[in-house]
Amino acid sequence: KGYDRLLERLPSLVPLIPQGRQWAVVILGNGPERDILRRMADSLNKKYPELRVIFPGYRPDAPSLMVMFDLFVMPSRCEGYGLALTEAFSLGLPALCSDTDSIPELCKYARGSTLVTDFDAPPEDFGCIFRKALQLPHSGKIIIQTCEGMTNRYFLLYQEVLKGQKK
């Protein structure tokens, strides 16, 4: 999804870490790139002890962990909808997101607590981008779509499709 782009840009985050502190980047979930990402993270962890990249894997309780985060990052190269982003919004998390597919449209709902950027920009440009993103405010909890609303919309769509097939 683009987490390699995030990892390549993390060294520009290091100067923002206060002396004597350690920051963590937590990448939740499993995917086909996990081993490659883990090797990249191991290299970063060795080179920058003040920055830890952690891979807890798939967690069914991911939303309960996300409330502890200071920033949600979605560096996707492509994104059909951005469910994880909407989950972050529902928790009021500020977000740093790529400017691809549906993401900028979803970010409009976040009322000033998102920064949309080009993750293909040179890694050295990200110090300033990370600084701005870390200053974004937590927002109130934003619900873009409820389960009931989504179910009702799908039901209406299916009815419409079935009517079209009967003609």
Side-chain angles (χ1 to χ4, degrees), residues 60-75:
D61 61 343
S64 67
L65 297 175
M66 287 171 56
V67 297
M68 296 183 284
F69 297 169
D70 294 312
L71 179 68
F72 177 84
V73 181
M74 184 169 248

Side-chain angles (χ1 to χ4, degrees), residues 105-144:
E105 184 178 343
L106 283 173
C107 287
K108 290 177 187 175
Y109 290 97
R111 302 182 200 109
S113 64
T114 60
L115 179 60
V116 177
T117 192
D118 177 6
F119 267 85
D120 287 325
E124 56 273 10
D125 293 352
F126 269 75
C128 181
I129 293 168
F130 280 128
R131 180 176 281 112
K132 286 179 186 175
L134 289 166
Q135 293 172 353
L136 290 169
H138 281 67
S139 67
K141 296 179 179 183
I142 300 166
I143 306 298
I144 294 173

